[in-house]
Amino acid sequence: MSTKIYNGYRLPAMNLQELNQFILNFKSVSEKLRKDLYERYIANLVVSDIDNLAILGKEKFIAQHLQDIRGMEGKGESIFEGLNPLRLSYQRIESRYQRMQETQQRDPAIDLDCELILLPAEEGIYVLLYAEHNEIRKLWEQTPGVSEYGYWNNVDRLEGLTENDWKEREQKWTDLGVMDNRPVDIGMSISVTRGVPSLFELKKQNILSQIRSFDERLQNRSESAAYDVRYKAIDEESSPSYRKHREINQWLTTEEGQKEINKHKGTLSSKLLKEITYETARSSYKELSEQLTVLSE
């Protein structure tokens, strides 16, 4: 039978008071990271919406980005009139999280939930970590006292471990009951982080600090535009889709690619807002459209 315990770890032996403090400390830093990541994600969505509106104009922007909002399908005009990029970005994240919960499909980009299953033993505490996001897993693995203790038998053992070491791990997880039971039925479940924090819990200055500068946004958009031009120019038969991405990225570094990027910079520099402030993010799409119209005149 195939066994895959990729999420296994071990903590040193602790009494209940020490364990409680360890968990509280990890919860505290995890919660901070969770909010930081959501603030970063919201900032990226805000910038994307504002720049898309500037490039596409009202009608195309509504058609391409506002007509399929979950729960508000077909109400692009109403969203444009009444909502702002900050609020809608948050609602998009909430909606994706709710969909993930309903469908039970993975969505690592916005899934910042973290759960621990603790399985105490005489020599230490064995832990199963359930976290989809790489940053959450990295935080756990970098926490003092945490050591990797996974086991699997579907591929070669972890490099650096002897066969006896590997068999010892297999026996330990067997003794703990993990091989024959659902971990949640035999261990102590700790919910570390769960759900999307309210918009009021997120910090204005942190969202602002994640918004990219005009030069960064201009470079990113110009590269994307040049990428699209090259993508359409490559014959599908001579270069299958799976190879296009690598080829185009290489082309962007050539003299020809850089000329194409600079051409788009010249066009886009007059369209994009020079600065995106917190107040900009809280302006309705209609108000932003009016600002952008004045800017382009």
Side-chain angles (χ1 to χ4, degrees):
M1 180 173 133
S2 178
T3 300
K4 293 174 275 190
I5 307 175
Y6 301 130
N7 60 332
Y9 299 87
R10 182 169 62 183
L11 300 175
M14 304 181 194
N15 59 39
L16 283 176
Q17 184 177 4
E18 292 169 336
L19 177 60
N20 184 58
Q21 190 59 54
F22 175 88
I23 296 297
L24 289 176
N25 290 344
F26 182 63
K27 277 190 171 185
S28 177
V29 294
S30 297
E31 183 61 23
K32 182 181 182 307
L33 175 61
R34 169 176 167 261
K35 289 179 179 177
D36 287 347
L37 291 172
Y38 277 126
E39 287 159 352
R40 182 195 309 170
Y41 196 47
I42 287 173
N44 288 338
L45 290 177
V46 165
V47 168
S48 179
D49 261 8
I50 294 173
D51 287 348
N52 280 332
L53 176 58
I55 294 168
L56 297 173
K58 175 185 173 180
E59 301 305 325
K60 286 184 179 180
F61 175 73
I62 291 175
Q64 295 180 25
H65 297 281
L66 299 185
Q67 293 289 24
D68 60 349
I69 304 297
R70 191 182 187 211
M72 296 183 285
E73 291 85 350
K75 297 181 179 179
E77 285 284 352
S78 298
I79 295 170
F80 188 84
E81 295 279 342
L83 285 182
N84 60 61
L86 180 64
R87 170 56 64 180
L88 187 59
S89 295
Y90 179 78
Q91 287 183 207
R92 282 183 172 129
I93 293 173
E94 268 196 322
S95 178
R96 279 180 63 176
Y97 184 86
Q98 290 167 4
R99 186 185 296 116
M100 179 189 72
Q101 293 292 304
E102 292 167 4
T103 63
Q104 294 299 298
Q105 293 180 344
R106 298 176 67 245
D107 193 350
I110 57 97
D111 184 359
L112 304 182
D113 291 356
C114 177
E115 181 183 8
L116 304 174
I117 302 291
L118 307 183
L119 300 155
E122 185 176 346
E123 71 280 6
I125 300 169
Y126 295 83
V127 183
L128 294 170
L129 169 74
Y130 295 93
E132 288 288 340
H133 203 283
N134 286 334
E135 293 290 333
I136 298 289
R137 289 199 297 270
K138 187 189 300 183
L139 179 69
W140 168 255
E141 291 172 353
Q142 293 174 346
T143 299
V146 173
S147 56
E148 186 278 331
Y149 203 79
Y151 171 77
W152 49 86
N153 59 14
N154 58 320
V155 292
D156 292 342
R157 65 177 180 266
L158 198 64
E159 188 176 346
L161 295 178
T162 67
E163 186 175 348
N164 285 339
D165 293 333
W166 206 238
K167 287 182 178 178
E168 184 180 302
R169 289 191 178 199
E170 178 187 18
Q171 188 60 53
K172 174 49 66 176
W173 288 115
T174 301
D175 292 345
L176 289 168
V178 172
M179 304 298 194
D180 303 313
N181 300 277
R182 295 193 313 160
V184 70
D185 292 335
I186 58 174
M188 182 189 308
S189 176
I190 305 290
S191 178
V192 179
T193 57
R194 186 170 183 80
V196 181
S198 73
L199 190 53
F200 299 105
E201 292 179 72
L202 304 177
K203 294 181 179 179
K204 166 184 172 181
Q205 60 268 30
N206 289 353
I207 295 174
L208 273 176
S209 69
Q210 301 287 350
I211 292 178
R212 287 166 290 175
S213 69
F214 172 76
D215 288 340
E216 290 174 311
R217 290 162 43 227
L218 179 61
Q219 180 69 26
N220 179 265
R221 288 289 177 160
S222 300
E223 288 178 358
S224 294
Y227 182 102
D228 291 342
V229 169
R230 186 63 176 176
Y231 187 92
K232 292 173 183 176
I234 297 177
D235 179 47
E236 187 70 37
E237 293 183 3
S238 64
S239 182
S241 295
Y242 69 89
R243 290 176 53 189
K244 275 190 175 183
H245 180 68
R246 182 178 62 187
E247 291 177 3
I248 295 171
N249 280 334
Q250 291 174 345
W251 174 80
L252 289 174
T253 64
T254 67
E255 183 178 351
E256 183 185 6
Q258 289 297 304
K259 284 182 179 178
E260 185 68 28
I261 291 171
N262 289 331
K263 182 178 77 174
H264 290 288
K265 277 186 178 181
T267 304
L268 295 174
S269 61
S270 61
K271 291 186 176 183
L272 301 182
L273 283 177
K274 295 295 185 288
E275 183 182 16
I276 297 177
T277 66
Y278 194 74
E279 290 309 311
T280 308
R282 293 180 62 190
S283 300
S284 71
Y285 290 100
K286 180 181 178 181
E287 292 168 336
L288 286 170
S289 181
E290 291 168 353
Q291 291 179 39
L292 292 165
T293 300
V294 171
L295 180 67
S296 63
E297 290 176 350

